[in-house]
Structure formats: C-alpha cells, structure tokens
Amino acid sequence: LKDLDAVRPLLLVLKFGAPEVRAAATRALIAYGRAAIPGLMLACEDPDPWTRARGEAILSAIRDAEKAAPPAG
C-alpha cells in the first residue's frame, strides 16, 4: 500500500465526513506524519476553501510535531 493510497480515504472523510469523523481523520493524518504530506499537498490545492485550510492546518501540525520530536538516532 502506497502512502497516498493509505491516506486517500482519510482525505475523503476530512472533506465529506461528519464533524466527529473529520476530527478523527485529522488526528490520524497527523499521526501518519510525513507519509501523509503528499496527500495533504493535494488537499491544499482543493477548490474548497475549508478543505485547503484543513490541509494547511494538518501540515502545520505535522511540522510542529516533527520539530518537537527528539532527534532520531
């Protein structure tokens, strides 16, 4: 399963799901971390402003989590 294939259903839920399901999808995408970035980049190009804003917010959360994580090694 490719990373984009894994996150695509979450991106659809993010756009069309009920609020509590969208919140769960957001948490899952953040947990995917770097693997979710290609899909989120597509979300940031979506014609729907809400979807673009959520994609940008999740990308920001992933980047913040990476900065806060201890260095690997």
Side-chain angles (χ1 to χ4, degrees), residues 4-40:
L4 185 55
D5 292 338
V7 301
R8 186 171 280 130
L10 295 171
L11 296 171
L12 286 172
V13 168
L14 190 67
K15 187 169 182 171
F16 298 111
E20 58 277 356
V21 179
R22 289 193 311 250
T26 296
R27 289 189 300 272
L29 287 164
I30 292 168
Y32 264 103
R34 286 193 158 280
I37 290 177
L40 289 167

Side-chain angles (χ1 to χ4, degrees), residues 30 33-34 37 58-72:
I30 292 168
R34 286 193 158 280
I37 290 177
I58 295 168
L59 280 171
S60 178
I62 290 170
R63 290 183 181 121
D64 290 346
E66 286 181 347
K67 288 178 191 173

